[in-house]
Amino acid sequence: MSEARSGAGTSAPTVLRMILGRRLQDRRQGAQVSLDDAAKALRVKPLTIRRLEKAEVALKPLYVEKLLQTYGAGQQEIDEFVTLAERANQPGWWYPYRDVLPSWFTAYVSLETGAKTLRTYEPHYVTGLLQTHGYARALLRAGFPHDSDEDLERRVDLRLRRQSLLEKAEPPTLWVVMEEAVLHRVVGGAEVMREQIDRLLAASELDHVSIDIVPFSAGAHFGVCAPFTYFRFEERELPDIVYSEILSGSMYLDQRSDVAAHLEAHNRMSLLTSLADSKALLNRMRKEYS
């Protein structure tokens, strides 16, 4: 995953492929093999080795086997790695939705699926993992006004399928900070908003979900910025990653300074309210939509 990259036009590695890419890099560096020497072993350019390690291309089993032999790995390690590489190259569950999934967002879905902790800031809309069918449909209709009804429903279905990760036996921790403006922006009408607030209230009762709503009374604050999501993983090979959206694409950040800045913003914003105050605000807004 690059330190900062527009997502448009890039391939989307699965989290497992990212992990294996990092392991290949660690194995090469541990064996003190340069990029040039690794490239010579495969008769490719050094850029190809770098792209394998960055998970920007599929892990070809023959390449993986030859590289590990070059790095002095034993046959058992090679066989296990090749098996994992073959699994990593298999399409993610979202592959059937590729016709309605923007290319710059596919990496996000993979990171979301594999993360242990997600922290998100939403100044405009309810985060996708907590949207109801009605809210998601109205929002996606506004975002893709030229979609056929069939394509629109596929987009909605994809969004709702993503939410299944919160229902796993060992779900990730989700910490949402959103602006009060989100609750005042009417998406789909009063009934849809009331249903959406009910969904947020129910989610706030889950042990692994926290919802902080920054009230208007907080005024100007440190974190006013574009929406972003922070991902943390159990696997040691993967760094913390922050995803941020722009109008025509996205950025994936993994430099420590960038990640630290977003974490600080998230922490500061969460201090501007409390879970109890956020829940009280949700209940007041629900009454307004009644």
Side-chain angles (χ1 to χ4, degrees):
M1 186 65 61
S2 67
E3 294 169 352
R5 178 195 303 156
S6 169
T10 63
S11 63
T14 62
V15 167
L16 179 55
R17 200 168 92 199
M18 294 170 62
I19 292 170
L20 294 181
R22 294 269 176 168
R23 288 182 183 173
L24 271 181
Q25 182 180 28
D26 290 345
R27 202 68 175 76
R28 176 179 61 78
Q29 292 174 342
Q32 298 183 329
V33 177
S34 68
L35 282 172
D36 286 340
D37 287 341
K40 288 177 182 177
L42 293 185
R43 297 184 179 181
V44 297
K45 296 180 179 179
L47 178 60
T48 298
I49 305 300
R50 175 59 67 193
R51 295 186 71 193
L52 285 168
E53 294 177 352
K54 291 292 185 180
E56 294 174 358
V57 293
L59 294 167
K60 295 181 180 180
L62 289 177
Y63 278 11
V64 168
E65 185 172 4
K66 182 62 176 178
L67 286 175
L68 289 175
Q69 289 172 348
T70 302
Y71 305 155
Q75 191 58 47
Q76 182 177 349
E77 179 185 353
I78 292 174
D79 291 343
E80 291 174 352
F81 203 108
V82 168
T83 298
L84 288 174
E86 291 173 342
R87 179 152 50 107
N89 290 333
Q90 294 174 1
W93 65 262
W94 55 88
Y95 184 76
Y97 295 93
R98 63 193 181 282
D99 56 323
V100 293
L101 183 62
S103 60
W104 49 266
F105 196 65
T106 50
Y108 180 99
V109 178
S110 176
L111 294 173
E112 182 181 72
T113 301
K116 187 62 179 176
T117 300
L118 299 101
R119 296 173 63 168
T120 182
Y121 169 62
E122 286 288 351
H124 305 304
Y125 303 106
V126 173
T127 186
L129 287 179
L130 297 177
Q131 290 176 11
T132 63
H133 182 280
Y135 189 97
R137 193 180 195 285
L139 193 59
L140 289 167
R141 171 53 78 195
F144 299 92
H146 305 299
D147 263 7
S148 65
D149 288 342
E150 180 181 359
D151 284 346
L152 179 64
E153 287 304 324
R154 283 174 54 71
R155 291 187 195 277
V156 174
D157 186 48
L158 169 62
R159 181 157 300 184
L160 297 184
R161 280 199 62 186
R162 286 168 45 206
Q163 298 177 5
S164 63
L165 68 88
L166 295 177
E167 301 170 358
K168 295 193 303 185
E170 297 184 7
T173 298
L174 174 64
W175 185 357
V176 179
V177 173
M178 68 175 71
E179 300 284 352
E180 181 179 345
V182 172
L183 304 179
H184 291 270
R185 177 170 288 108
V186 181
V187 175
E191 184 177 349
V192 169
M193 290 301 296
R194 187 168 62 252
E195 181 185 44
Q196 179 60 71
I197 291 175
D198 284 341
R199 167 75 169 122
L200 293 174
L201 284 167
S204 68
E205 298 296 328
L206 300 173
D207 292 337
H208 57 286
V209 177
S210 296
I211 301 175
D212 287 323
I213 302 174
V214 180
F216 286 142
S217 59
H221 59 82
F222 180 81
V224 174
C225 57
F228 67 84
T229 300
Y230 158 92
F231 302 97
R232 171 164 285 181
F233 307 89
E234 282 189 323
E235 296 81 6
R236 62 175 179 80
E237 294 90 350
L238 291 183
D240 295 348
I241 294 172
V242 168
Y243 163 92
S244 185
E245 252 181 51
I246 56 177
L247 182 63
S248 58
S250 61
M251 292 187 299
Y252 294 87
L253 312 169
D254 61 12
Q255 280 200 359
R256 289 185 178 180
S257 58
D258 293 326
V259 173
H262 285 80
L263 273 181
E264 182 182 4
H266 200 275
N267 287 333
R268 288 197 181 195
M269 287 186 287
S270 69
L271 294 175
L272 297 173
T273 185
S274 68
L275 294 177
D277 289 342
S278 297
K279 191 172 295 185
L281 179 54
L282 284 169
N283 279 306
R284 287 201 303 272
M285 290 303 302
R286 189 192 187 285
K287 291 180 181 178
E288 287 195 22
Y289 288 117
S290 297

